[in-house]
Amino acid sequence: MNWSNTALTAANHEPVSVLVTAIGGAGYGEQILKALRLAGGYRIVGADSSRDCANFARVDHAVTLPKASDPNYVDALLDVAYAFGVDAVFSGCEPELKVVSDQRERLERAGFLAPLNPKSVIDTCMDKRATAQFLDAAGFPHPRSVELSSLDDLDRVDWFPVVVKPAVGGGGSVDCHIAQTPRELRYLAELLDLGNRSMLVQEYVGRPEDEYTVGVLHDLDGDFLNSIAVRRELGGALNAKLRVPNRTGRADLGEDLVISSGFSHGYIGPYPEVTGPCERLAAALGVKGAVNIQCRLVDGVVQVFEINPRLSGTTSLRAMVGYNEPDVLLRRHVLGETVSPRFAYRSARIHRSLVENFVPEEPALNWTWAELKSMFVFLASMTPAQCVL
């Protein structure tokens, strides 16, 4: 079927079973869950490391998993996938994404679709040093950046203002700060324990009103499907992680210097002036799946400051306008449907707000992984005659 003029819904097929992890904590796992619910027609197994996950009330089956740092994490993930007969597994947070990426062969051998980018793409994008090196080598504009590993390195930074962030990881603007002077940079270096861990110092560029989060979607064979952008509105406390008055004297940066939070909202549409360069970047990177590119448009030039090799924290917003990335990937690779490149979607302005969830004393949890494992052990111990009885 040609999707160019058809709404992307999943209502007319037998339910595909999907395991979505890390659905609590307002991360992108929750966004995947929301997008699949908007599509309709999916049987969703939702997993989280917390028994108190409010989103357990929004899935068909709920289960707790160990944290990604647990050596049994992948075993647990496979046990849950087997127990509920899922067709595909979406990792909903970066620590789990990294672990699953490293052991993806186990999921593939077991027959589960894991819509992941190639390991090389994930490793490059989750390391901000490697990201900067890739952008340099491929000739894509980006803010100046330097990795610091000790206080002695601070003299290497002679341009301000700068954004200070972890060199590895740190999605959703975790541990990101702004320094407008060498003194502020030294204070942050001491605060962030520079020396025991490295950090990346990146030039602060552009104005907050020119910041975009851009999604580029390829299928898992690497064929381009579509792109979309959210022009962020960073005026509220929910959407800006950090806002400080601009004391640099540089009017080109605006009145305030702003670092966005992981809760993006704003104007959604094609924005070819930013999606075009990002499409070329995704192709050069070798994307197979979804990639999310953070950038600012500075004097007509896209300046990329971060690449997330995964689905976005704006996945459900995009799905609301007909650009439903999880649904498209499942249709393409589980149902075997044809998805035409540049399928139609709407443009819109979408705003987010906080939503309160009533959490009952008895949570909506169906199973813990430990309970499922005990059941497997019990069933394995039974004789064929006992199974018949």
Side-chain angles (χ1 to χ4, degrees):
M1 180 175 290
N2 185 324
W3 288 106
S4 59
N5 296 303
T6 307
L8 293 177
T9 65
N12 297 321
H13 59 70
E14 291 298 317
V16 171
S17 294
V18 184
L19 171 59
V20 185
T21 71
I23 62 172
Y28 70 91
E30 180 183 55
Q31 290 292 300
I32 297 169
L33 168 60
K34 288 180 177 180
L36 292 176
R37 282 300 186 212
L38 280 170
Y42 291 104
R43 174 178 171 263
I44 302 175
V45 181
D48 199 76
S49 61
S50 171
R51 294 183 62 94
D52 298 320
C53 173
N55 283 321
F56 279 162
R58 300 185 177 95
V59 298
D60 299 295
H61 302 282
V63 62
T64 55
L65 282 172
K67 291 184 179 295
S69 57
D70 191 306
N72 294 313
Y73 173 77
V74 175
D75 290 335
L77 185 71
L78 286 168
D79 284 345
V80 170
Y82 278 123
F84 291 101
V86 305
D87 300 290
V89 178
F90 283 93
S91 298
C93 68
E94 288 194 350
E96 293 183 350
L97 174 70
K98 186 68 169 65
V99 172
V100 172
S101 173
D102 290 342
Q103 299 194 42
R104 66 180 67 207
E105 293 81 6
R106 294 185 62 188
L107 274 74
E108 292 170 355
R109 287 198 303 269
F112 304 120
L113 176 73
L116 299 173
N117 270 295
K119 187 177 184 301
S120 59
V121 173
I122 291 174
D123 290 348
T124 295
C125 296
M126 291 185 71
D127 185 330
K128 294 179 178 61
R129 302 161 299 191
T131 300
Q133 291 167 0
F134 160 75
L135 292 170
D136 274 335
F140 290 99
H142 65 96
R144 286 180 290 179
S145 60
V146 60
E147 182 184 3
L148 307 182
S149 56
S150 72
L151 293 175
D152 294 335
D153 293 336
L154 294 177
D155 290 338
R156 297 170 61 192
V157 182
D158 58 2
W159 26 267
F160 289 90
V162 296
V163 176
V164 182
K165 59 176 69 174
V168 178
S173 300
V174 173
D175 253 355
C176 288
H177 304 270
I178 293 173
Q180 301 189 56
T181 66
R183 180 180 178 184
E184 289 181 5
L185 179 58
R186 179 166 291 275
Y187 168 77
L188 286 172
E190 293 175 351
L191 178 69
L192 298 174
D193 197 23
L194 179 63
N196 289 319
R197 62 170 177 167
S198 61
M199 64 187 192
L200 195 77
V201 176
Q202 191 174 66
E203 180 183 13
Y204 183 100
V205 299
R207 303 169 70 94
E209 57 265 32
D210 294 321
E211 183 167 319
Y212 295 81
T213 178
V214 180
V216 180
L217 182 64
H218 290 200
D219 67 18
L220 300 183
D221 298 321
D223 295 324
F224 171 81
L225 293 177
N226 217 337
S227 64
I228 193 170
V230 180
R231 183 176 183 179
R232 286 171 161 163
E233 292 187 83
L234 300 175
L238 184 65
N239 316 107
K241 178 186 183 296
L242 181 64
R243 179 187 303 277
V244 295
N246 180 4
R247 295 179 279 100
T248 65
R250 290 182 54 185
D252 60 304
L253 300 179
E255 293 185 1
D256 293 326
L257 307 181
V258 180
I259 293 177
S260 59
S261 72
F263 301 98
S264 303
H265 70 195
Y267 297 88
I268 303 176
Y271 290 104
E273 65 274 24
V274 294
T275 56
C278 289
E279 288 176 12
R280 294 191 290 274
L281 189 160
L285 188 59
V287 166
K288 294 182 178 181
V291 68
N292 197 51
I293 299 166
Q294 314 298 329
C295 61
R296 285 188 176 178
L297 189 62
V298 184
D299 296 328
V301 176
V302 172
Q303 295 266 2
V304 175
F305 57 84
E306 191 161 305
I307 307 174
N308 298 314
R310 53 169 173 76
L311 291 162
S312 166
T314 60
T315 296
S316 72
L317 279 67
R318 298 169 180 179
M320 291 172 70
V321 300
Y323 187 99
N324 195 323
E325 294 149 292
D327 182 46
V328 169
L329 290 172
L330 290 169
R331 286 180 171 280
R332 171 70 182 84
H333 295 286
V334 174
L335 298 175
E337 297 180 4
T338 298
V339 180
S340 295
R342 301 202 186 280
F343 54 82
Y345 60 86
R346 301 179 300 281
S347 296
R349 184 185 186 189
I350 298 179
H351 273 194
R352 284 172 156 166
S353 63
L354 292 174
V355 176
E356 289 71 35
N357 294 289
F358 179 82
V359 181
E361 292 185 8
E362 292 296 327
L365 178 66
N366 298 141
W367 297 93
T368 66
W369 169 61
E371 290 168 340
L372 284 172
K373 192 168 184 65
S374 296
M375 181 182 69
F376 295 153
V377 172
F378 170 72
L379 292 174
S381 69
M382 295 178 68
T383 65
Q386 289 172 320
C387 291
V388 172
L389 292 175

